[in-house]
Amino acid sequence: MFKEDNAKIRNQILQAVEGMTDEKLNQKPSAEEWSALQILDHLQLMETTVAKGVSLELKNDASEKALKKPIALTANRSFKVEAPKNVIPTSDFVTLEEMKKRLNDSHNFLYEVYGLATPEQLAQKSMDHPVFGKVPLSQWFPFVGLHEKRHFKQLEKTLRKLDGEKE
């Protein structure tokens, strides 16, 4: 189920930026906000971080079982969460083609990790989340899609601002 949901939101994100110039996609609406490509960079950094973390926890015999968390709240942008340092996007100019490659690579890595795990391992082990605490590994895969839904709203807002629309 999560695979279809994750693929759907990823396709929506890519469709939103399709055909736009690299210059526009690298433009920040304000000094405090991320550009469209920085949002995409954050998504691939997060996806890679989740895949690496889950992969490590699968090998960790001391990984603890955790109760399911209300990860659906992730898509709600009404509460602000500071991005951890390791998932803060680059401020370098990046082309859309390069970012699409990075996104594809992180997506493939996540699916590879998921494919190596058994449902039992995913239910019996957990990984720390900065807001939710210990989250079962089984919830990290749908979390990635929910996280992308959250940032899709941000991306749409950013693109509207770049088009000169008022909020």
Side-chain angles (χ1 to χ4, degrees):
M1 170 83 171
F2 85 86
K3 285 185 178 183
E4 294 82 18
D5 291 345
N6 287 14
K8 184 179 174 187
I9 189 63
R10 177 63 61 87
N11 287 335
Q12 289 175 315
I13 287 166
L14 292 174
Q15 285 173 0
V17 297
E18 195 57 46
M20 298 180 78
T21 66
D22 293 334
E23 289 72 20
K24 187 167 190 172
L25 291 172
N26 277 277
Q27 188 181 337
K28 294 169 74 167
S30 73
E32 306 80 42
E33 295 173 276
W34 289 344
S35 70
L37 277 173
Q38 283 180 305
I39 294 168
L40 299 186
D41 191 34
H42 171 70
L43 296 179
Q44 68 86 20
L45 288 167
M46 177 65 82
E47 191 168 47
T48 299
T49 298
V50 168
K52 283 181 183 174
V54 169
S55 182
L56 286 172
E57 287 300 326
L58 286 169
K59 298 171 191 155
N60 178 2
D61 291 336
S63 186
E64 302 169 21
K65 185 174 182 173
L67 295 173
K68 286 193 169 189
K69 301 300 186 291
I71 62 168
L73 296 172
T74 303
N76 183 346
R77 288 193 49 84
S78 64
F79 62 96
K80 183 98 170 103
V81 177
E82 284 298 315
K85 284 184 177 42
N86 61 321
V87 294
I88 292 178
T90 182
S91 54
D92 297 343
F93 185 92
V94 181
T95 65
L96 179 57
E97 283 311 307
E98 171 59 25
M99 191 54 65
K100 282 181 178 178
K101 181 188 177 319
R102 291 181 195 178
L103 285 161
N104 190 49
D105 289 348
S106 66
H107 220 51
N108 288 341
F109 182 28
L110 183 73
Y111 288 134
E112 184 182 308
V113 169
Y114 183 75
L116 295 173
T118 66
E120 294 76 28
Q121 287 175 305
L122 296 174
Q124 297 299 321
K125 296 176 180 252
S126 65
M127 186 169 77
D128 280 329
H129 183 278
V131 175
F132 298 116
K134 289 219 175 282
V135 173
L137 296 186
S138 61
Q139 286 193 288
W140 279 97
F141 300 98
F143 168 81
V144 169
L146 292 165
H147 177 257
E148 292 200 5
K149 279 184 183 175
R150 175 186 186 90
H151 286 288
F152 180 54
K153 294 172 191 170
Q154 178 188 12
L155 178 65
E156 289 179 316
K157 188 174 171 184
T158 297
L159 295 175
R160 282 195 304 272
K161 285 182 178 181
L162 292 177
D163 284 338
E165 291 180 30
K166 299 280 185 246
E167 284 192 58

